[in-house]
Amino acid sequence: MALEGSTVDDYKSSSSIVRDAEGQLFDEQSRQMLEPLVGSAAMRRLEMFAALRWLSRLMHEYVDSWANGHGLSESRFQILMQLKHQDSVPLGKLAARLRVTPRAVTALVDQLERDGMVVRVADPKDRRTIRAQMTPTGRKLFDKIWTEYLDIPLQLVDGVEQGTLDEIRSTCLELVGRIEDAGRGKTKKTS
């Protein structure tokens, strides 16, 4: 699935993304909602989260649509990607790696198993542990489509400076760490 040569400016009539006086993009709807609630300074700090949620949702929908074209979902494709790099993986470890519940992984593996892409195997060291393993059918499909999958984000970031991408990545991972720390009761107040 190729991304058409569109930019955010092409969607001005159908979205609320606009540029401020400095040429920075922002979501007009988010600003209008947040500013009366928290004031200008906090609004400017919080609107990044609204943008991340929007991006995350759209990226998931876009990749899911691509995966559906191959008889998968984004989540099932992610399981195949994990299994590509190891012969077999315990279902609990798959859940942790994909940051989903064990129940969700079980349902996804059920679907992949029905489609002949994955089989469940007993762990040779612990018979209580069930592992997922990719079948030759799953491997064939994965090998056919994985470079197409990688091309999606590469097209999205085409023309964006590497320094900008590095800064976005670093900031996102810093926030991940802060959220994980907060979940463990290690909240730090920063200004």
Side-chain angles (χ1 to χ4, degrees):
M1 174 184 279
L3 294 173
E4 313 318 332
S6 55
T7 67
V8 73
D9 293 325
D10 297 330
Y11 298 104
K12 279 188 179 175
S13 62
S14 63
S15 80
S16 60
I17 299 173
V18 295
R19 291 190 185 275
D20 63 17
E22 290 82 39
Q24 296 292 313
L25 294 171
F26 71 94
D27 175 20
E28 199 168 40
Q29 287 178 347
S30 290
R31 280 197 180 174
Q32 289 172 355
M33 179 191 71
L34 287 170
E35 191 167 21
L37 296 172
V38 298
S40 291
M43 177 251 343
R44 292 282 309 276
R45 297 184 71 74
L46 291 174
E47 66 186 343
M48 180 268 314
F49 289 101
L52 285 174
R53 276 193 304 277
W54 191 359
L55 173 62
S56 178
R57 182 181 55 81
L58 287 178
M59 188 66 188
H60 170 73
E61 289 172 2
Y62 189 82
V63 173
D64 205 46
S65 174
W66 167 84
N68 284 332
H70 296 288
L72 297 168
S73 66
E74 178 188 19
S75 299
R76 284 180 280 167
F77 180 79
Q78 292 298 329
I79 287 178
L80 293 179
M81 184 175 285
Q82 291 294 319
L83 296 176
K84 172 68 175 174
H85 300 289
Q86 284 189 296
D87 184 44
S88 65
V89 178
L91 296 186
K93 190 176 271 190
L94 274 176
R97 286 182 184 171
L98 297 174
R99 295 172 179 88
V100 297
T101 65
R103 181 177 288 179
V105 162
T106 298
L108 293 166
V109 170
D110 286 347
Q111 293 167 358
L112 287 166
E113 197 169 33
R114 273 194 306 272
D115 293 341
M117 304 286 173
V118 168
V119 293
R120 285 178 167 88
V121 296
D123 189 307
K125 296 177 184 170
D126 180 359
R127 296 179 72 58
R128 296 170 295 170
T129 300
I130 302 297
R131 301 172 78 86
Q133 185 173 36
M134 197 178 331
T135 65
T137 300
R139 193 168 303 282
K140 183 178 178 183
L141 176 63
F142 182 84
D143 289 345
K144 176 182 169 190
I145 65 175
W146 77 275
T147 55
E148 186 179 326
Y149 167 78
L150 293 176
D151 199 41
I152 294 169
L154 288 173
Q155 286 183 44
L156 287 171
V157 297
D158 186 39
V160 179
E161 295 291 328
Q162 187 60 51
T164 300
L165 296 173
D166 292 344
E167 190 173 329
I168 293 168
R169 180 201 66 237
S170 182
T171 301
C172 286
L173 293 176
E174 180 179 340
L175 293 171
V176 164
R178 289 179 181 199
I179 290 169
E180 288 179 347
D181 285 349
R184 291 188 291 267
K186 299 179 181 176
T187 309
K188 292 183 251 180
K189 179 102 175 161
T190 60
S191 48

